[in-house]
Amino acid sequence: MPLRITALTDPEETSAARRLAWLASHPDGSPAGYAFLRLFTKEGQRHLAELDVQVHPAERRAGAGTLLLEAAVEAARQDGRRTVVAQAPAASPGAAFLTAGGFRVALTLTYARLPLADADLPALTALAEEPRPGYRLTAWEGRVPDELAETYAASRRAMDDMPMGAVDYGTVVWDVDRVRAAADAVFARGDILHTVAAVDSSDGTITGFTELVVPGGGRGDAQHYGTAVLPEHRGHGLARWMKAASIIAARERHPHLSGLLTDTADNNPHMRRVNDSLGYLPTHTAHEYQLDL
């Protein structure tokens, strides 16, 4: 029996993006799959859309995924987008589906996990407490403190040259409002955002940062978000220093956490070496796919 594609109303809208949604269902109303299309709205990313298509394993190869993909791609075209990106684990059904749909691999990501029960806490503590001449560490939970907001927003340009393969992500423009909105979004879903930052001792400006999002209950695995250092302050071991301090803080504040998750582009060997040196173990590989409209 033919499948029906229904556009849904998605209330999730942030200061950076809005989202479209579709449901694939049978005539009796039973669902077969869904698709989300995130349309980025900030300056520098208005060309970009991010796709997530999910079809129940029992419903695959019946056309639901193709119909959902067609609906989402057409919506992206109608909205004037030039690039659609999506992610799938390597050698997975999702990877085969995206390739058949005209997507190409634009980036390879290695996912890794630090099992906290096996972490070398004395070595990590020594690293976090090791002085870095000209720098000091600071940390906060949730929103950045007002007195650091301007310099923290300015430090976000450290992400601009992050290796991202051939993905057309554009340039993310950060200001204080966007920094606060990102923290508020984590809080609104019940999670906890921890940030550790390196500060230039001479003028009090932030030179780098690392973010960790902890589940609200303090259990399971936490997820590293961005880690970056401004170009003019690289070469001093700040990324490793900050990340070690973040691990120690997570262990102390959330003793029931199981592990910490991170992902790194394969063309970012520096950050992969940092993670390896801190005890992160690779778990799997995924690809970022891109469709040029």
Side-chain angles (χ1 to χ4, degrees):
M1 300 179 71
L3 291 164
R4 178 176 58 196
I5 303 298
T6 305
L8 305 177
T9 300
D10 186 347
E12 181 181 297
E13 184 166 353
T14 69
S15 61
R18 58 189 176 88
R19 200 166 69 162
L20 306 179
W22 295 266
L23 175 70
S25 59
H26 296 282
D28 64 0
S30 59
Y34 64 83
F36 287 119
L37 184 71
R38 189 177 302 278
L39 301 168
F40 295 91
T41 55
K42 283 286 190 179
E43 190 67 38
Q45 286 195 309
R46 291 176 183 161
H47 67 286
L48 182 64
E50 184 179 58
L51 176 67
D52 178 21
V53 176
Q54 300 290 336
V55 176
H56 190 281
E59 301 285 353
R60 289 174 184 165
R61 300 189 180 278
T66 299
L67 292 173
L68 289 165
L69 176 63
E70 291 173 350
V73 169
E74 180 58 26
R77 291 185 193 278
Q78 293 298 321
D79 202 67
R81 306 290 159 153
R82 73 168 184 261
T83 303
V84 180
V85 295
Q87 190 178 121
S92 67
F97 169 74
L98 291 170
T99 300
F103 286 74
R104 60 181 174 83
V105 174
L107 177 68
T108 299
L109 295 164
T110 295
Y111 284 76
R113 181 177 184 269
L114 175 65
L116 287 174
D118 301 332
D120 188 343
L121 296 179
L124 290 167
T125 300
L127 175 59
E129 294 177 350
E130 182 181 321
R132 291 288 191 278
Y135 299 95
R136 60 180 173 84
L137 291 177
T138 189
W140 63 86
E141 181 178 302
R143 274 191 173 198
V144 58
D146 290 346
E147 65 272 18
L148 293 174
E150 291 287 350
T151 183
Y152 181 53
S155 76
R156 301 292 305 196
R157 69 177 172 84
M159 303 285 285
D160 289 353
D161 62 349
M162 183 172 64
M164 293 307 297
V167 183
D168 184 15
Y169 274 125
T171 300
V172 179
V173 180
W174 289 89
D175 56 21
V176 171
D177 288 342
R178 184 166 188 167
V179 164
R180 289 172 174 160
D184 290 347
V186 173
F187 176 79
R189 66 173 186 253
D191 293 336
I192 305 164
L193 173 63
H194 291 294
T195 305
V196 174
V199 177
D200 187 332
S201 300
S202 66
D203 59 10
T205 59
I206 291 177
T207 62
F209 58 88
T210 186
E211 302 163 307
L212 181 70
V213 174
V214 177
R219 296 178 180 272
D221 288 344
Q223 175 72 55
H224 285 286
Y225 277 28
T227 299
V229 176
L230 288 168
E232 58 269 30
H233 294 277
R234 292 172 186 166
H236 301 286
L238 298 184
R240 189 164 173 258
W241 190 39
M242 293 186 298
K243 212 158 189 178
S246 179
I247 295 166
I248 295 301
R251 186 64 170 168
E252 291 176 349
R253 297 179 188 179
H254 307 283
H256 300 296
L257 274 179
S258 300
L260 307 181
L261 307 175
T262 190
D263 61 270
T264 310
D266 273 13
N267 63 334
N268 189 353
H270 171 71
M271 190 55 66
R272 291 193 64 183
R273 285 195 297 269
V274 167
N275 293 333
D276 290 346
S277 72
L278 294 172
Y280 289 80
L281 303 174
T283 58
H284 66 283
T285 299
H287 297 305
E288 193 82 6
Y289 289 83
Q290 180 167 306
L291 178 67
D292 301 313
L293 301 182

